[in-house]
PDB file of all heavy atoms in Angstrom:
ATOM      1  N   GLU A 278      78.836 106.658 113.789  1.00 78.00           N
ATOM      2  CA  GLU A 278      78.143 105.403 113.475  1.00 78.00           C
ATOM      3  C   GLU A 278      79.112 104.229 113.546  1.00 78.00           C
ATOM      4  O   GLU A 278      79.249 103.438 112.612  1.00 78.00           O
ATOM      5  CB  GLU A 278      77.482 105.489 112.095  1.00 78.00           C
ATOM      6  CG  GLU A 278      76.369 106.521 112.011  1.00 78.00           C
ATOM      7  CD  GLU A 278      75.715 106.568 110.647  1.00 78.00           C
ATOM      8  OE1 GLU A 278      76.217 105.863 109.736  1.00 78.00           O
ATOM      9  OE2 GLU A 278      74.737 107.299 110.482  1.00 78.00           O
ATOM     10  N   SER A 279      79.816 104.134 114.666  1.00 80.00           N
ATOM     11  CA  SER A 279      80.746 103.029 114.970  1.00 80.00           C
ATOM     12  C   SER A 279      81.933 102.976 114.015  1.00 80.00           C
ATOM     13  O   SER A 279      82.598 101.950 113.922  1.00 80.00           O
ATOM     14  CB  SER A 279      80.010 101.678 114.956  1.00 80.00           C
ATOM     15  OG  SER A 279      78.943 101.674 115.877  1.00 80.00           O
ATOM     16  N   GLN A 280      82.203 104.038 113.309  1.00 82.00           N
ATOM     17  CA  GLN A 280      83.342 104.091 112.401  1.00 82.00           C
ATOM     18  C   GLN A 280      84.221 105.279 112.756  1.00 82.00           C
ATOM     19  O   GLN A 280      83.722 106.405 112.892  1.00 82.00           O
ATOM     20  CB  GLN A 280      82.874 104.207 110.944  1.00 82.00           C
ATOM     21  CG  GLN A 280      84.017 104.151 109.941  1.00 82.00           C
ATOM     22  CD  GLN A 280      83.541 104.220 108.502  1.00 82.00           C
ATOM     23  OE1 GLN A 280      82.344 104.356 108.253  1.00 82.00           O
ATOM     24  NE2 GLN A 280      84.444 104.119 107.569  1.00 82.00           N
ATOM     25  N   LYS A 281      85.521 105.021 112.918  1.00 86.00           N
ATOM     26  CA  LYS A 281      86.448 106.079 113.286  1.00 86.00           C
ATOM     27  C   LYS A 281      86.840 106.891 112.055  1.00 86.00           C
ATOM     28  O   LYS A 281      87.130 106.340 110.998  1.00 86.00           O
ATOM     29  CB  LYS A 281      87.703 105.482 113.940  1.00 86.00           C
ATOM     30  CG  LYS A 281      87.432 104.856 115.300  1.00 86.00           C
ATOM     31  CD  LYS A 281      88.702 104.357 115.941  1.00 86.00           C
ATOM     32  CE  LYS A 281      88.426 103.777 117.326  1.00 86.00           C
ATOM     33  NZ  LYS A 281      89.678 103.267 117.967  1.00 86.00           N
ATOM     34  N   LYS A 282      86.842 108.221 112.236  1.00 88.00           N
ATOM     35  CA  LYS A 282      87.189 109.122 111.151  1.00 88.00           C
ATOM     36  C   LYS A 282      88.197 110.147 111.660  1.00 88.00           C
ATOM     37  O   LYS A 282      88.180 110.502 112.844  1.00 88.00           O
ATOM     38  CB  LYS A 282      85.949 109.834 110.602  1.00 88.00           C
ATOM     39  CG  LYS A 282      84.921 108.901 109.968  1.00 88.00           C
ATOM     40  CD  LYS A 282      83.723 109.676 109.469  1.00 88.00           C
ATOM     41  CE  LYS A 282      82.708 108.755 108.810  1.00 88.00           C
ATOM     42  NZ  LYS A 282      83.218 108.200 107.533  1.00 88.00           N
ATOM     43  N   ILE A 283      89.040 110.641 110.768  1.00 89.00           N
ATOM     44  CA  ILE A 283      90.015 111.679 111.089  1.00 89.00           C
ATOM     45  C   ILE A 283      89.518 112.992 110.501  1.00 89.00           C
ATOM     46  O   ILE A 283      89.243 113.084 109.309  1.00 89.00           O
ATOM     47  CB  ILE A 283      91.403 111.332 110.543  1.00 89.00           C
ATOM     48  CG1 ILE A 283      91.921 110.041 111.171  1.00 89.00           C
ATOM     49  CG2 ILE A 283      92.376 112.467 110.793  1.00 89.00           C
ATOM     50  CD1 ILE A 283      93.236 109.578 110.607  1.00 89.00           C
ATOM     51  N   VAL A 284      89.389 113.985 111.358  1.00 90.00           N
ATOM     52  CA  VAL A 284      88.887 115.292 110.936  1.00 90.00           C
ATOM     53  C   VAL A 284      89.887 116.361 111.341  1.00 90.00           C
ATOM     54  O   VAL A 284      90.482 116.301 112.421  1.00 90.00           O
ATOM     55  CB  VAL A 284      87.504 115.588 111.562  1.00 90.00           C
ATOM     56  CG1 VAL A 284      86.987 116.938 111.093  1.00 90.00           C
ATOM     57  CG2 VAL A 284      86.517 114.494 111.213  1.00 90.00           C
ATOM     58  N   ILE A 285      90.106 117.324 110.471  1.00 91.00           N
ATOM     59  CA  ILE A 285      91.004 118.438 110.732  1.00 91.00           C
ATOM     60  C   ILE A 285      90.193 119.594 111.312  1.00 91.00           C
ATOM     61  O   ILE A 285      89.223 120.056 110.692  1.00 91.00           O
ATOM     62  CB  ILE A 285      91.735 118.885 109.447  1.00 91.00           C
ATOM     63  CG1 ILE A 285      92.388 117.671 108.755  1.00 91.00           C
ATOM     64  CG2 ILE A 285      92.765 119.946 109.761  1.00 91.00           C
ATOM     65  CD1 ILE A 285      93.400 116.941 109.612  1.00 91.00           C
ATOM     66  N   TYR A 286      90.578 120.053 112.511  1.00 91.00           N
ATOM     67  CA  TYR A 286      89.917 121.170 113.199  1.00 91.00           C
ATOM     68  C   TYR A 286      90.806 122.410 113.107  1.00 91.00           C
ATOM     69  O   TYR A 286      92.041 122.312 113.016  1.00 91.00           O
ATOM     70  CB  TYR A 286      89.696 120.854 114.674  1.00 91.00           C
ATOM     71  CG  TYR A 286      88.533 119.953 114.986  1.00 91.00           C
ATOM     72  CD1 TYR A 286      88.607 118.595 114.794  1.00 91.00           C
ATOM     73  CD2 TYR A 286      87.355 120.479 115.497  1.00 91.00           C
ATOM     74  CE1 TYR A 286      87.544 117.759 115.101  1.00 91.00           C
ATOM     75  CE2 TYR A 286      86.280 119.658 115.805  1.00 91.00           C
ATOM     76  CZ  TYR A 286      86.381 118.308 115.604  1.00 91.00           C
ATOM     77  OH  TYR A 286      85.327 117.486 115.906  1.00 91.00           O
ATOM     78  N   SER A 287      90.177 123.561 113.190  1.00 91.00           N
ATOM     79  CA  SER A 287      90.927 124.823 113.224  1.00 91.00           C
ATOM     80  C   SER A 287      91.236 125.188 114.673  1.00 91.00           C
ATOM     81  O   SER A 287      90.358 125.155 115.531  1.00 91.00           O
ATOM     82  CB  SER A 287      90.113 125.939 112.565  1.00 91.00           C
ATOM     83  OG  SER A 287      88.857 126.082 113.200  1.00 91.00           O
ATOM     84  N   LYS A 288      92.498 125.533 114.945  1.00 92.00           N
ATOM     85  CA  LYS A 288      92.901 125.951 116.285  1.00 92.00           C
ATOM     86  C   LYS A 288      92.595 127.420 116.527  1.00 92.00           C
ATOM     87  O   LYS A 288      92.401 127.847 117.665  1.00 92.00           O
ATOM     88  CB  LYS A 288      94.406 125.717 116.486  1.00 92.00           C
ATOM     89  CG  LYS A 288      94.813 124.266 116.576  1.00 92.00           C
ATOM     90  CD  LYS A 288      96.317 124.121 116.742  1.00 92.00           C
ATOM     91  CE  LYS A 288      96.805 124.769 118.017  1.00 92.00           C
ATOM     92  NZ  LYS A 288      98.251 124.576 118.228  1.00 92.00           N
ATOM     93  N   GLN A 289      92.587 128.192 115.467  1.00 92.00           N
ATOM     94  CA  GLN A 289      92.414 129.637 115.567  1.00 92.00           C
ATOM     95  C   GLN A 289      91.674 130.125 114.339  1.00 92.00           C
ATOM     96  O   GLN A 289      91.329 129.330 113.454  1.00 92.00           O
ATOM     97  CB  GLN A 289      93.793 130.312 115.664  1.00 92.00           C
ATOM     98  CG  GLN A 289      94.656 130.033 114.435  1.00 92.00           C
ATOM     99  CD  GLN A 289      96.124 130.254 114.706  1.00 92.00           C
ATOM    100  OE1 GLN A 289      96.601 130.001 115.801  1.00 92.00           O
ATOM    101  NE2 GLN A 289      96.851 130.726 113.691  1.00 92.00           N
ATOM    102  N   HIS A 290      91.416 131.405 114.294  1.00 94.00           N
ATOM    103  CA  HIS A 290      90.755 131.973 113.126  1.00 94.00           C
ATOM    104  C   HIS A 290      91.690 131.898 111.923  1.00 94.00           C
ATOM    105  O   HIS A 290      92.882 132.239 112.009  1.00 94.00           O
ATOM    106  CB  HIS A 290      90.352 133.424 113.395  1.00 94.00           C
ATOM    107  CG  HIS A 290      89.702 134.080 112.221  1.00 94.00           C
ATOM    108  ND1 HIS A 290      88.376 133.877 111.881  1.00 94.00           N
ATOM    109  CD2 HIS A 290      90.207 134.935 111.284  1.00 94.00           C
ATOM    110  CE1 HIS A 290      88.083 134.569 110.808  1.00 94.00           C
ATOM    111  NE2 HIS A 290      89.174 135.225 110.418  1.00 94.00           N
ATOM    112  N   ILE A 291      91.158 131.453 110.799  1.00 93.00           N
ATOM    113  CA  ILE A 291      91.946 131.309 109.569  1.00 93.00           C
ATOM    114  C   ILE A 291      91.386 132.283 108.538  1.00 93.00           C
ATOM    115  O   ILE A 291      90.181 132.287 108.256  1.00 93.00           O
ATOM    116  CB  ILE A 291      91.888 129.867 109.040  1.00 93.00           C
ATOM    117  CG1 ILE A 291      92.448 128.897 110.091  1.00 93.00           C
ATOM    118  CG2 ILE A 291      92.662 129.731 107.739  1.00 93.00           C
ATOM    119  CD1 ILE A 291      92.319 127.445 109.702  1.00 93.00           C
ATOM    120  N   ASN A 292      92.249 133.113 107.989  1.00 93.00           N
ATOM    121  CA  ASN A 292      91.841 134.108 107.003  1.00 93.00           C
ATOM    122  C   ASN A 292      91.788 133.504 105.607  1.00 93.00           C
ATOM    123  O   ASN A 292      92.273 132.387 105.356  1.00 93.00           O
ATOM    124  CB  ASN A 292      92.807 135.295 107.017  1.00 93.00           C
ATOM    125  CG  ASN A 292      92.817 136.002 108.356  1.00 93.00           C
ATOM    126  OD1 ASN A 292      91.770 136.221 108.966  1.00 93.00           O
ATOM    127  ND2 ASN A 292      93.999 136.370 108.833  1.00 93.00           N
ATOM    128  N   VAL A 293      91.220 134.258 104.696  1.00 93.00           N
ATOM    129  CA  VAL A 293      91.153 133.839 103.296  1.00 93.00           C
ATOM    130  C   VAL A 293      92.574 133.798 102.718  1.00 93.00           C
ATOM    131  O   VAL A 293      93.402 134.661 103.017  1.00 93.00           O
ATOM    132  CB  VAL A 293      90.255 134.790 102.485  1.00 93.00           C
ATOM    133  CG1 VAL A 293      90.182 134.364 101.020  1.00 93.00           C
ATOM    134  CG2 VAL A 293      88.858 134.839 103.088  1.00 93.00           C
ATOM    135  N   ASN A 294      92.844 132.778 101.916  1.00 92.00           N
ATOM    136  CA  ASN A 294      94.143 132.545 101.270  1.00 92.00           C
ATOM    137  C   ASN A 294      95.238 132.173 102.271  1.00 92.00           C
ATOM    138  O   ASN A 294      96.422 132.143 101.900  1.00 92.00           O
ATOM    139  CB  ASN A 294      94.597 133.760 100.458  1.00 92.00           C
ATOM    140  CG  ASN A 294      93.683 134.028  99.264  1.00 92.00           C
ATOM    141  OD1 ASN A 294      93.143 133.090  98.660  1.00 92.00           O
ATOM    142  ND2 ASN A 294      93.500 135.299  98.930  1.00 92.00           N
ATOM    143  N   GLU A 295      94.890 131.883 103.502  1.00 93.00           N
ATOM    144  CA  GLU A 295      95.885 131.423 104.481  1.00 93.00           C
ATOM    145  C   GLU A 295      96.033 129.911 104.352  1.00 93.00           C
ATOM    146  O   GLU A 295      95.046 129.176 104.225  1.00 93.00           O
ATOM    147  CB  GLU A 295      95.448 131.787 105.891  1.00 93.00           C
ATOM    148  CG  GLU A 295      96.474 131.418 106.964  1.00 93.00           C
ATOM    149  CD  GLU A 295      96.025 131.845 108.354  1.00 93.00           C
ATOM    150  OE1 GLU A 295      95.018 132.591 108.443  1.00 93.00           O
ATOM    151  OE2 GLU A 295      96.677 131.442 109.338  1.00 93.00           O
ATOM    152  N   GLU A 296      97.282 129.433 104.406  1.00 93.00           N
ATOM    153  CA  GLU A 296      97.530 128.005 104.250  1.00 93.00           C
ATOM    154  C   GLU A 296      97.127 127.250 105.518  1.00 93.00           C
ATOM    155  O   GLU A 296      97.394 127.687 106.633  1.00 93.00           O
ATOM    156  CB  GLU A 296      99.000 127.732 103.932  1.00 93.00           C
ATOM    157  CG  GLU A 296      99.285 126.253 103.685  1.00 93.00           C
ATOM    158  CD  GLU A 296     100.683 125.989 103.152  1.00 93.00           C
ATOM    159  OE1 GLU A 296     101.461 126.961 103.027  1.00 93.00           O
ATOM    160  OE2 GLU A 296     100.993 124.818 102.870  1.00 93.00           O
ATOM    161  N   ILE A 297      96.512 126.114 105.321  1.00 94.00           N
ATOM    162  CA  ILE A 297      96.073 125.268 106.425  1.00 94.00           C
ATOM    163  C   ILE A 297      97.182 124.271 106.746  1.00 94.00           C
ATOM    164  O   ILE A 297      97.680 123.574 105.853  1.00 94.00           O
ATOM    165  CB  ILE A 297      94.769 124.532 106.058  1.00 94.00           C
ATOM    166  CG1 ILE A 297      93.648 125.553 105.871  1.00 94.00           C
ATOM    167  CG2 ILE A 297      94.394 123.502 107.108  1.00 94.00           C
ATOM    168  CD1 ILE A 297      92.389 124.984 105.282  1.00 94.00           C
ATOM    169  N   THR A 298      97.571 124.219 108.022  1.00 93.00           N
ATOM    170  CA  THR A 298      98.663 123.341 108.454  1.00 93.00           C
ATOM    171  C   THR A 298      98.283 122.662 109.767  1.00 93.00           C
ATOM    172  O   THR A 298      97.428 123.144 110.508  1.00 93.00           O
ATOM    173  CB  THR A 298      99.960 124.138 108.663  1.00 93.00           C
ATOM    174  OG1 THR A 298      99.725 125.174 109.641  1.00 93.00           O
ATOM    175  CG2 THR A 298     100.443 124.760 107.366  1.00 93.00           C
ATOM    176  N   TYR A 299      98.931 121.527 110.024  1.00 91.00           N
ATOM    177  CA  TYR A 299      98.807 120.869 111.322  1.00 91.00           C
ATOM    178  C   TYR A 299     100.097 120.117 111.608  1.00 91.00           C
ATOM    179  O   TYR A 299     100.932 119.908 110.708  1.00 91.00           O
ATOM    180  CB  TYR A 299      97.591 119.935 111.385  1.00 91.00           C
ATOM    181  CG  TYR A 299      97.674 118.720 110.491  1.00 91.00           C
ATOM    182  CD1 TYR A 299      98.237 117.523 110.942  1.00 91.00           C
ATOM    183  CD2 TYR A 299      97.155 118.740 109.202  1.00 91.00           C
ATOM    184  CE1 TYR A 299      98.293 116.409 110.132  1.00 91.00           C
ATOM    185  CE2 TYR A 299      97.207 117.635 108.383  1.00 91.00           C
ATOM    186  CZ  TYR A 299      97.777 116.462 108.851  1.00 91.00           C
ATOM    187  OH  TYR A 299      97.840 115.366 108.037  1.00 91.00           O
ATOM    188  N   ASP A 300     100.289 119.721 112.843  1.00 89.00           N
ATOM    189  CA  ASP A 300     101.496 119.017 113.262  1.00 89.00           C
ATOM    190  C   ASP A 300     101.352 117.540 112.929  1.00 89.00           C
ATOM    191  O   ASP A 300     100.422 116.880 113.403  1.00 89.00           O
ATOM    192  CB  ASP A 300     101.709 119.207 114.769  1.00 89.00           C
ATOM    193  CG  ASP A 300     103.092 118.747 115.220  1.00 89.00           C
ATOM    194  OD1 ASP A 300     103.767 118.026 114.446  1.00 89.00           O
ATOM    195  OD2 ASP A 300     103.495 119.108 116.339  1.00 89.00           O
ATOM    196  N   TYR A 301     102.269 117.000 112.107  1.00 86.00           N
ATOM    197  CA  TYR A 301     102.203 115.604 111.716  1.00 86.00           C
ATOM    198  C   TYR A 301     102.444 114.660 112.901  1.00 86.00           C
ATOM    199  O   TYR A 301     101.959 113.535 112.908  1.00 86.00           O
ATOM    200  CB  TYR A 301     103.239 115.308 110.629  1.00 86.00           C
ATOM    201  CG  TYR A 301     102.868 115.821 109.247  1.00 86.00           C
ATOM    202  CD1 TYR A 301     101.695 116.538 109.032  1.00 86.00           C
ATOM    203  CD2 TYR A 301     103.700 115.591 108.160  1.00 86.00           C
ATOM    204  CE1 TYR A 301     101.367 116.999 107.777  1.00 86.00           C
ATOM    205  CE2 TYR A 301     103.379 116.052 106.891  1.00 86.00           C
ATOM    206  CZ  TYR A 301     102.212 116.761 106.707  1.00 86.00           C
ATOM    207  OH  TYR A 301     101.885 117.209 105.448  1.00 86.00           O
ATOM    208  N   LYS A 302     103.237 115.112 113.869  1.00 84.00           N
ATOM    209  CA  LYS A 302     103.553 114.297 115.055  1.00 84.00           C
ATOM    210  C   LYS A 302     104.129 112.934 114.657  1.00 84.00           C
ATOM    211  O   LYS A 302     103.682 111.887 115.129  1.00 84.00           O
ATOM    212  CB  LYS A 302     102.318 114.122 115.938  1.00 84.00           C
ATOM    213  CG  LYS A 302     101.818 115.424 116.549  1.00 84.00           C
ATOM    214  CD  LYS A 302     100.650 115.206 117.478  1.00 84.00           C
ATOM    215  CE  LYS A 302     100.185 116.535 118.095  1.00 84.00           C
ATOM    216  NZ  LYS A 302      99.027 116.357 119.010  1.00 84.00           N
ATOM    217  N   PHE A 303     105.132 112.968 113.794  1.00 82.00           N
ATOM    218  CA  PHE A 303     105.809 111.747 113.395  1.00 82.00           C
ATOM    219  C   PHE A 303     106.585 111.175 114.584  1.00 82.00           C
ATOM    220  O   PHE A 303     107.093 111.931 115.422  1.00 82.00           O
ATOM    221  CB  PHE A 303     106.770 112.013 112.240  1.00 82.00           C
ATOM    222  CG  PHE A 303     106.107 112.133 110.895  1.00 82.00           C
ATOM    223  CD1 PHE A 303     106.813 112.568 109.787  1.00 82.00           C
ATOM    224  CD2 PHE A 303     104.774 111.792 110.728  1.00 82.00           C
ATOM    225  CE1 PHE A 303     106.210 112.668 108.550  1.00 82.00           C
ATOM    226  CE2 PHE A 303     104.146 111.893 109.502  1.00 82.00           C
ATOM    227  CZ  PHE A 303     104.875 112.327 108.412  1.00 82.00           C
ATOM    228  N   PRO A 304     106.697 109.862 114.685  1.00 80.00           N
ATOM    229  CA  PRO A 304     107.503 109.282 115.768  1.00 80.00           C
ATOM    230  C   PRO A 304     108.979 109.611 115.582  1.00 80.00           C
ATOM    231  O   PRO A 304     109.464 109.793 114.453  1.00 80.00           O
ATOM    232  CB  PRO A 304     107.240 107.779 115.633  1.00 80.00           C
ATOM    233  CG  PRO A 304     106.820 107.581 114.213  1.00 80.00           C
ATOM    234  CD  PRO A 304     106.077 108.825 113.832  1.00 80.00           C
ATOM    235  N   ILE A 305     109.699 109.675 116.702  1.00 80.00           N
ATOM    236  CA  ILE A 305     111.131 110.007 116.670  1.00 80.00           C
ATOM    237  C   ILE A 305     111.907 108.852 116.053  1.00 80.00           C
ATOM    238  O   ILE A 305     111.786 107.702 116.479  1.00 80.00           O
ATOM    239  CB  ILE A 305     111.637 110.318 118.091  1.00 80.00           C
ATOM    240  CG1 ILE A 305     110.886 111.538 118.654  1.00 80.00           C
ATOM    241  CG2 ILE A 305     113.136 110.573 118.083  1.00 80.00           C
ATOM    242  CD1 ILE A 305     111.235 111.843 120.092  1.00 80.00           C
ATOM    243  N   GLU A 306     112.702 109.157 115.044  1.00 79.00           N
ATOM    244  CA  GLU A 306     113.508 108.148 114.346  1.00 79.00           C
ATOM    245  C   GLU A 306     114.924 108.681 114.180  1.00 79.00           C
ATOM    246  O   GLU A 306     115.196 109.884 114.325  1.00 79.00           O
ATOM    247  CB  GLU A 306     112.899 107.823 112.975  1.00 79.00           C
ATOM    248  CG  GLU A 306     111.520 107.180 113.053  1.00 79.00           C
ATOM    249  CD  GLU A 306     110.907 106.954 111.674  1.00 79.00           C
ATOM    250  OE1 GLU A 306     111.431 107.529 110.690  1.00 79.00           O
ATOM    251  OE2 GLU A 306     109.924 106.213 111.593  1.00 79.00           O
ATOM    252  N   ASP A 307     115.845 107.742 113.876  1.00 79.00           N
ATOM    253  CA  ASP A 307     117.240 108.130 113.691  1.00 79.00           C
ATOM    254  C   ASP A 307     117.433 108.932 112.408  1.00 79.00           C
ATOM    255  O   ASP A 307     118.169 109.922 112.384  1.00 79.00           O
ATOM    256  CB  ASP A 307     118.130 106.872 113.672  1.00 79.00           C
ATOM    257  CG  ASP A 307     118.122 106.155 115.008  1.00 79.00           C
ATOM    258  OD1 ASP A 307     117.887 106.825 116.033  1.00 79.00           O
ATOM    259  OD2 ASP A 307     118.339 104.922 115.026  1.00 79.00           O
ATOM    260  N   VAL A 308     116.765 108.493 111.342  1.00 82.00           N
ATOM    261  CA  VAL A 308     116.855 109.222 110.073  1.00 82.00           C
ATOM    262  C   VAL A 308     115.869 110.388 110.128  1.00 82.00           C
ATOM    263  O   VAL A 308     114.647 110.189 110.145  1.00 82.00           O
ATOM    264  CB  VAL A 308     116.529 108.297 108.886  1.00 82.00           C
ATOM    265  CG1 VAL A 308     116.638 109.074 107.575  1.00 82.00           C
ATOM    266  CG2 VAL A 308     117.455 107.083 108.887  1.00 82.00           C
TER     267      VAL A 308
END
């Protein structure tokens, strides 16, 4: 509805009690 949203998708099958993770893709910095 003309509004951008961020949604987390599953790449593969996730089992019960498995931790959900994704790549932050932070920009490259010196620190």
Side-chain angles (χ1 to χ4, degrees):
E278 295 181 354
S279 302
Q280 185 178 2
K281 292 183 178 179
K282 296 179 179 291
I283 298 176
V284 181
I285 309 301
Y286 282 78
S287 57
K288 290 179 62 177
Q289 61 200 34
H290 178 79
I291 300 175
N292 298 318
V293 180
N294 294 326
E295 184 178 350
E296 183 171 3
I297 295 170
T298 58
Y299 67 90
D300 192 345
Y301 284 2
K302 295 183 179 180
F303 282 170
I305 298 175
E306 296 176 346
D307 295 334
V308 180

